[in-house]
Amino acid sequence: MAEQRETKGKNAWYKAVIIITVLGITAIVALVTTAVLQNKPLLQKYKYGIVLDAGSSHTAVYIYEWPAEKDNDTGRVQQTHSCKVQGAGISSYSVFPGQAGASLKSCMKEAESLIPLSRHLETPLYLGATAGMRLLRMENQSLSDQVLWSVEEVLQSSPFSYQGARIITGQEEGAFGWVTVNYLSDRLKQGSGTTGALDLGGASTQISFVANQDVAEESAENAVTFRLYGNDYFLYTHSFLCYGKDQALKLALAQQTQSGDSSVLDPCFHPGYSVDRSYFSVYSSPCVMAGKPLVSRDSFTHVGAGNASLCQEVVRRIFNFSSCSFSRCSFNRVYQPPLQGPFGAFSAFYFVMNFLNLTSGSLESSREKLERYCSRPWTQISGSDAGWTLGYMLNLTNMIPAEAPDTPPLPHAGYVTLLFFISLLLFFLLFLCFRFLWPHRNSQTQMI
Ligand SMILES: O=P(O)(O)OP(=O)(O)OP(=O)(O)OC[C@H]1O[C@@H](n2cnc3c(O)ncnc32)[C@H](O)[C@@H]1O
Ligand SMILES: [Ca+2]
């Protein structure tokens, strides 16, 4: 009878252990599966932003995208497409301002086909015009307004969320170029050293780098402050209007045509180059202060001489190093603190260096001045064009938080592993409990 009871008790106990084991294993599997599924990456959705860079030489449309659930935080913004608008920059339409807007239509159609329809209404669209339009506004404010209205009309009729077309300041152009190069090289999140930015456009050139806070005391217009990812940055920035590649050439040419000779032998052009130019094409620019020489003819022959060292002399003469009312200046009486850190040089700095095959390897063969400005060769990062547009959009859409985002104490994989081992440990402890309680229970059964 006692034996029968003992066998019955044992059977019940075995059943209990088996049921507990099955339930335990099921619980662990359910826990881990839930943990994995809960955080399983969902199908990635993207948001978009469009910026039109209306430069002096041409307009480009840039499309950016970023993961939809991560904006304002950790999601990386990437350039997905760029479209070069046919023809010259919008400032060149001053004779027929109405045509400036029409020139943008084909690139805008391209943007419509590339951005998913469901995102059109929420996609911000900006246009920023730079030095070409700054010069046109200086020459004739009414014409520059008409050009802006013309592009505004076309952009407003697009399905995107139009946020405005404006002439950005040289300070914005320089500062957002700096944000772009440092964002693309991930230096802002890391909080490590930053890189300066050099942008050689067609009608202006910008220099921006982190400097000491006393920049604001000496020249407030050259100081910009950013708080990004929890770090404060004090920038020196300056935009030299008229010192872009095309306008600088006009300055050099005006200087060489002052004598009024019928032909000009220019060391900056290749031997064999010979083109008839009108004085108007050189002297009509508001950058050229010198008056047209007093001669009856309207044009001169521009002849190339191809002499690099003489060309350097000619170019040097368009810079004024003679006086400075600050503690130190770069040129043309513009304040500039001592240069700091490496520099990323883009736009025409890149086009020219790329053309000369000097974007990689040693720069020792290039001239000393190029070495100073381009201490680091610039290569494009992440497939994005460097320029002010990305920084401009990041700023206007608040995509870079002022403070570093909080991160979970454990990464997802660590969390799942930890959960698995804790569950296993609990189950093992439970099992041991039953295992060691078994003889005690056995003896209780025998005593009855
Ligand atoms: O910033 P601003 O001064 O308004 O002018 P931009 O934006 O139109 O100026 P870019 O940087 O596009 O171009 C600067 C110069 O480089 C020339 N350029 C532009 N794209 C080029 C390319 O792909 N290869 C060679 N030269 C280029 C262009 O004609 C200008 O003279
Ligand atoms: Ca530009």
Side-chain angles (χ1 to χ4, degrees), residues 53-56 58 130-131 173 199-202 204 206 347 387-388:
D53 175 357
S56 63
H58 75 284
T130 51
E173 195 178 359
D199 175 2
L200 178 57
S204 74
Q206 287 70 240
S347 304
W388 57 268

Side-chain angles (χ1 to χ4, degrees), residues 56 131 199-206 240-251 287 318 348:
S56 63
D199 175 2
L200 178 57
S204 74
T205 187
Q206 287 70 240
F240 294 89
L241 189 61
C242 299
Y243 284 82
K245 190 163 119 341
D246 305 325
Q247 290 298 329
L249 267 176
K250 288 192 180 187
L251 293 177
C287 292
I318 68 169

